[in-house]
Amino acid sequence: MKNELIRKTYIEVDMDTLKSNVDKIIKEYHNYDYYIGVVKGDVYGHGSYTINAFLESGVNYLAVSSLEEALNIRNINKDIPILCLEPIDLDFVLLAYQNNITLTVSNLEYLKKLVEIIKDKSLKIHIKINSGMNRLGFSTKEDVEEAFHMILENYTLEGIFTHLATLGISDPYYDMQINKFLELTQNIDLKKIPIVHIGRSLTLINHPKIPFCNGIRLGIIMYGFNQSPKKDTSFKGSLRQIKADMRIKKYHISETTLDCNIKVEEAFSLYTEVMEIQKIKKGESTGYGVSYKAEEDEFIAICPIGYADGFSRRNSGRFVWINDKKYPIVGSVNMGMIQIKIDENVHIKDKVELLGKHIPVKYASKYIGTTPYECMCMMHEAVPRVYVKEGKVVHIENWKVNS
Ligand SMILES: Cc1ncc(COP(=O)(O)O)c(C=O)c1O
């Protein structure tokens, strides 16, 4: 039962593609000691088994958002270091410690309370610096200094990091944040901290390596999205570039690279199947609200996927692919079903591609007015994840059936 798909609506994750993405990234940017795979949001929607592809290709640390996510991954891998990027509720820090989860400490009050709960040199801590995102982190050098000594005394101070709010390509924010990080850490010896990590995917490909960092947090690029801005060679684009160049000069913006050509590929596909076929007459409608009216006698395929699965209502009107041909979704996306206008070549049980080779997440996410991050994370965890290696299914994560 565990490895069977009841409803043939599932996400397929291509493990070879993910492995190859990370191989390419590490080969191209080989001068880091720590490649921290950001696997929050249930591994950007891919599901926890995915981490195996990353670990096989050189990711040597993982980062998550919450203790729940960390424990979920700990169930699969007992050894890989896992950093929880957000502070864990003090009522649960013992649980984190017992499971060898690395804590983020982002303010002094939290740290003082932590010391009352746990005193053990084996507990690993990373300090979070607020360099300008104003989300989490220490904001004064005095607090950073006090935390540094307190952590050295009680725990293993393993890392220090910050997060960048912008790309900093033609705005000065990137440089401002790096300078702020250096200012806030000027009273401590960064060399005493084994892992210093600041950058994310776009920092890696758009900026030279930050000299004092030996760790990089890899997120969206591992999943196959090279979001590096492309040079726009049109007349308007050239004018914009002249303006950008003037800003770069005026604000002494540091060196950046455009048009990074690293070829990473998406590994996330979404499929369903044809469950039933209706024949409707010209002028008849299908689905809620009688919004769609057939222009002629039509065949309508009904498929078991809907917004309860995370397939947004905003997908109404877009195309899906069946047997290498595209067909439109008609009427609105329901909670658990969609209607597709088909022809006589489509049959019950035919496989329907909603995301994948013909419809990359990159384009589908634009259609529904969001980002690839949200498009993948919004898929409900109850949609089974099917993992494929060398064309064969190697694992199925089927939340509803497993539990
Ligand atoms: C703290 C932190 N670091 C790194 C990342 C990875 O960012 P990206 O996916 O843009 O590489 C994230 C993503 O949300 C994050 O919150």
Side-chain angles (χ1 to χ4, degrees):
M1 185 74 153
K2 200 168 167 176
N3 280 332
E4 275 179 70
L5 294 180
I6 301 172
R7 196 177 54 142
K8 305 292 181 293
T9 296
Y10 61 95
I11 287 160
E12 187 174 294
V13 176
D14 185 330
M15 298 288 273
D16 300 314
T17 300
L18 292 173
K19 184 174 176 321
S20 150
N21 287 347
V22 179
D23 284 342
K24 281 183 202 158
I25 296 163
I26 296 184
K27 194 166 169 220
E28 180 81 23
Y29 304 96
H30 47 80
N31 46 359
Y32 289 88
D33 300 323
Y34 293 92
Y35 293 90
I36 304 169
V38 180
V39 293
K40 59 195 210 171
D42 198 24
V43 195
Y44 282 46
H46 293 62
S48 49
Y49 185 83
T50 310
I51 63 155
N52 294 306
F54 299 148
L55 301 186
E56 274 174 30
S57 45
V59 163
N60 52 8
Y61 219 116
L62 295 175
V64 295
S65 278
S66 64
L67 179 57
E68 292 92 320
E69 285 184 343
L71 295 176
N72 193 20
I73 286 173
R74 191 47 88 232
N75 278 335
I76 306 178
N77 189 301
K78 297 284 168 238
D79 305 316
I80 184 74
I82 306 171
L83 168 67
C84 188
L85 292 162
E86 294 165 28
I88 293 171
D89 189 306
L90 287 160
D91 288 343
F92 294 90
V93 285
L94 266 176
L95 185 58
Y97 159 71
Q98 285 154 359
N99 284 279
N100 187 23
I101 309 300
T102 308
L103 301 192
T104 288
V105 164
S106 61
N107 69 69
L108 214 45
E109 236 174 83
Y110 179 92
L111 178 59
K112 286 177 182 164
K113 287 184 186 146
L114 182 67
V115 174
E116 286 168 20
I117 301 169
I118 309 172
K119 271 194 181 131
D120 189 324
K121 280 278 183 191
S122 70
L123 177 64
K124 288 179 283 174
I125 305 275
H126 287 213
I127 295 178
K128 175 82 187 264
I129 300 292
N130 173 21
S131 60
M133 192 143 177
N134 298 323
R135 200 166 68 165
L136 290 172
F138 285 90
S139 300
T140 70
K141 54 181 187 252
E142 292 75 22
D143 281 1
V144 172
E145 189 179 2
E146 194 174 339
F148 174 79
H149 293 296
M150 206 184 284
I151 296 169
L152 278 183
E153 199 178 309
N154 294 288
Y155 307 115
T156 298
L157 176 51
E158 187 194 51
I160 187 161
F161 70 109
T162 191
H163 194 37
L164 300 168
T166 72
L167 266 192
I169 284 181
S170 58
D171 73 70
Y173 216 79
Y174 171 88
D175 297 293
M176 186 285 287
Q177 283 199 264
I178 304 297
N179 290 335
K180 189 79 189 167
F181 180 88
L182 288 172
E183 183 196 317
L184 291 175
T185 56
Q186 67 184 220
N187 292 348
I188 64 171
D189 186 358
L190 279 182
K191 292 198 192 75
K192 283 209 168 120
I193 308 181
I195 316 177
V196 182
H197 50 111
I198 291 185
R200 57 191 170 108
S201 302
L202 282 167
T203 329
L204 178 75
I205 60 181
N206 289 135
H207 293 267
K209 181 174 175 292
I210 302 165
F212 56 88
C213 287
N214 62 345
I216 183 83
R217 293 190 304 278
L218 300 174
I220 199 76
I221 192 164
M222 291 196 301
Y223 303 93
F225 300 84
N226 173 353
Q227 298 184 318
S228 178
K230 300 273 169 280
K231 261 199 191 117
D232 182 352
T233 49
S234 68
F235 179 66
K236 268 192 176 165
S238 308
L239 282 182
R240 265 198 299 272
Q241 190 56 51
I242 292 171
K243 264 189 169 174
D245 288 343
M246 280 162 65
R247 282 175 66 77
I248 288 167
K249 218 168 163 191
K250 181 171 173 195
Y251 294 108
H252 308 290
I253 292 167
S254 64
E255 187 193 340
T256 53
T257 345
L258 290 182
D259 283 337
C260 160
N261 285 324
I262 189 161
K263 293 259 177 303
V264 287
E265 284 170 32
E266 296 181 21
F268 189 98
S269 305
L270 174 65
Y271 299 109
T272 184
E273 69 170 355
V274 176
M275 178 168 68
E276 190 160 314
I277 295 176
Q278 294 283 337
K279 194 172 176 197
I280 61 171
K281 293 213 159 30
K282 183 177 176 182
E284 285 185 340
S285 71
T286 177
Y288 283 119
V290 291
S291 58
Y292 175 74
K293 290 249 173 16
E295 288 159 6
E296 54 200 331
D297 290 358
E298 287 174 5
F299 291 104
I300 304 290
I302 313 298
C303 303
I305 185 164
Y307 59 79
D309 297 298
F311 190 70
S312 166
R313 294 184 79 234
R314 281 167 288 164
N315 283 294
S316 303
R318 86 157 166 88
F319 287 94
V320 300
W321 285 73
I322 310 172
N323 306 327
D324 277 328
K325 194 172 166 195
K326 62 180 188 175
Y327 298 95
I329 298 174
V330 294
S332 57
V333 171
N334 306 181
M335 192 185 286
M337 283 181 273
I338 54 172
Q339 302 93 210
I340 302 166
K341 179 180 164 181
I342 51 164
D343 54 29
E344 59 286 347
N345 298 319
V346 175
H347 303 100
I348 289 197
K349 291 213 167 285
D350 277 355
K351 186 171 172 179
V352 180
E353 178 192 314
L354 304 152
L355 294 171
K357 186 173 87 175
H358 299 98
I359 317 155
V361 171
K362 191 170 154 189
Y363 296 109
S365 56
K366 272 203 191 119
Y367 187 91
I368 62 169
T370 187
T371 59
Y373 296 79
E374 191 185 10
C375 184
M376 297 185 293
C377 285
M378 72 203 286
M379 291 312 303
H380 197 280
E381 61 176 353
V383 177
R385 268 63 172 172
V386 174
Y387 298 91
V388 174
K389 246 182 176 176
E390 292 171 13
K392 288 202 183 79
V393 174
V394 290
H395 183 74
I396 297 179
E397 234 167 67
N398 202 347
W399 177 79
K400 266 196 175 147
V401 174
N402 290 358
S403 55

